[in-house]
């Protein structure tokens, strides 16, 4: 995590991210968005670890260092006078990455909301609100608008927009297909967007705001049941070697494809047939396999486009260097204390068990 994070956080904390970060991609306009992408997506994955807070041991001191670093980066990213002031206002892409930054705050309110200086908090609020003048497309982007409003609610803003949240929640309920899977808008796509965006944001939005409306409260159990089921599907898609099916859009997000499984482990929402240790071993196998490639990073430590090494042909037109930092969401379980069952013992994951001839529980659909 630190190897991925350091180039972004160290340069941004010095107000030099735009100067230092390369922007690899197919179209020149991605330079307008890539820096906010890198920072927001990175801290979205780091946030639960930061939220564990300072402690006297070595890791606790590292958390303090990185939390201070991230708060300083938030200060610079939202300061209109800074060179690294991020683009929150031009184009539609900033709706996406403002939402990932908002998700980071939702995941670490103690470290990334409560400890912000008052002026910085006001700059964050202003930046978040500035995205309201653009309409998100009729797909998973509805959740980006809803996540921004959820963060505004946690930031103490009285005018957080309930309608943006209500529309996203109820429309995704209409897009539920069955067996733990949502379509991305009216049409289904076979890809990892249920993990990149849809399920993690649905779960965290409903968890934060359900007590604000009785109809939201009624939706919570179903959202979590579906999320638990989808985590089972994700775990069973990890091969004995730590590889996974290369299908759909945005495959260059690497192991960010397993954000949802990581989040269910973090929140202790795994199915009863999934042991926390087997999820840890499965996710670790994916990370190790992916990081075995020699050219995942350039000579200065920035991520390169690809899944297993530098494979720029795997980039859609909207992919650039900053986009890749969604991979950091696989690190969500680092927010679990060392005493948690997630960290205890070794356990083969489902595919490894079955292809070794071991017995496993039969899989069944969520009715």
């Amino acid at each position: 995590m630190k190897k991925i994070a350091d180039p972004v956080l160290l340069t941004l904390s010095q107000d030099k991210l735009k100067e230092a970060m390369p922007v690899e991609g197919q179209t020149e306009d991605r330079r307008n968005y890539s820096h906010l992408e890198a920072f927001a997506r990175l801290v979205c994955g780091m946030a639960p670890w930061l939220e564990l807070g300072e402690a006297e041991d070595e890791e606790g001191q590292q958390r303090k260092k990185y939390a201070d670093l991230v708060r300083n980066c938030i200060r610079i990213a939202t300061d209109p006078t800074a060179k690294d002031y991020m683009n929150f206002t031009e184009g539609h892409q900033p709706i996406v990455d403002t939402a990932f930054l908002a998700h980071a705050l939702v995941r670490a309110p103690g470290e990334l909301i409560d400890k912000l200086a008052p002026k910085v908090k006001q700059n964050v609020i202003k930046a978040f609100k500035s995205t309201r003048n653009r309409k998100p497309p009729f797909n998973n982007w509805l959740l980006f608008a809803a996540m921004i409003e959820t963060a505004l609610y946690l930031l103490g803003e009285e005018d957080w927009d309930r309608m943006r949240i209500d529309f996203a929640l109820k429309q995704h309920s209409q897009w539920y297909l069955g067996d733990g899977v949502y379509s991305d808008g009216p049409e289904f796509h076979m890809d990892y967007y249920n993990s990149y965006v849809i399920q993690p944001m649905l779960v965290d939005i409903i968890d934060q705001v359900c007590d604000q409306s009785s109809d939201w409260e009624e939706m919570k159990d179903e959202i979590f049941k579906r999320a638990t089921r989808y985590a089972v599907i994700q775990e069973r898609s990890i091969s004995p070697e730590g590889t996974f099916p290369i299908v759909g859009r945005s495959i260059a997000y690497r192991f960010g494809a397993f954000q949802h499984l990581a989040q269910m482990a973090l929140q202790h929402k795994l199915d009863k047939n999934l042991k926390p240790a087997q999820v840890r071993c499965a996710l670790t196998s994916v990370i190790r396999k992916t990081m075995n490639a020699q050219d995942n990073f350039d000579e200065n430590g920035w991520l390169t486009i690809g899944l297993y090494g530098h494979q720029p042909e795997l980039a859609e037109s909207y992919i650039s260097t900053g986009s890749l930092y969604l991979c950091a969401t696989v690190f969500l379980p680092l927010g679990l204390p060392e005493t948690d069952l997630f960290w205890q013992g070794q356990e083969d994951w489902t595919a490894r068990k079955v292809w070794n001839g071991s017995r496993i529980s039969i899989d069944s659909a969520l009715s």
Side-chain angles (χ1 to χ4, degrees), residues 217-232:
E217 186 73 55
E218 291 171 2
M219 300 174 70
K220 184 176 180 179
D221 284 349
E222 285 301 318
I223 287 174
F224 271 94
K225 286 177 184 176
R226 295 163 181 175
T228 295
R229 170 58 183 160
Y230 186 62
V232 171

Side-chain angles (χ1 to χ4, degrees), residues 91-111:
H92 280 79
Q93 180 66 38
I95 299 173
V96 178
D97 297 295
T98 302
F100 282 122
L101 182 56
H103 205 172
L105 272 59
V106 168
R107 284 172 166 164
E111 291 293 323

Side-chain angles (χ1 to χ4, degrees), residues 251-316:
I251 205 68
Y253 294 163
R254 293 185 168 92
F255 33 68
F258 293 95
Q259 173 180 195
H260 178 69
L261 179 58
Q263 178 166 304
M264 291 294 95
L266 171 71
Q267 297 178 340
H268 297 134
K269 297 294 184 182
L270 294 171
D271 183 83
K272 61 181 176 21
N273 291 315
L274 273 184
K275 295 181 180 179
Q278 83 181 72
V279 173
R280 185 195 83 242
C281 292
L283 292 175
T284 300
S285 74
V286 174
I287 295 169
R288 286 178 173 166
K289 177 63 178 178
T290 307
M291 288 292 101
N292 276 343
Q294 297 302 305
D295 50 356
N296 286 310
F297 302 92
D298 71 10
E299 63 275 11
N300 295 313
W302 301 94
L303 286 171
T304 61
I305 291 176
L307 171 60
Y308 187 72
H310 186 213
Q311 298 161 317
E313 69 278 4
L314 294 181
E316 290 85 359

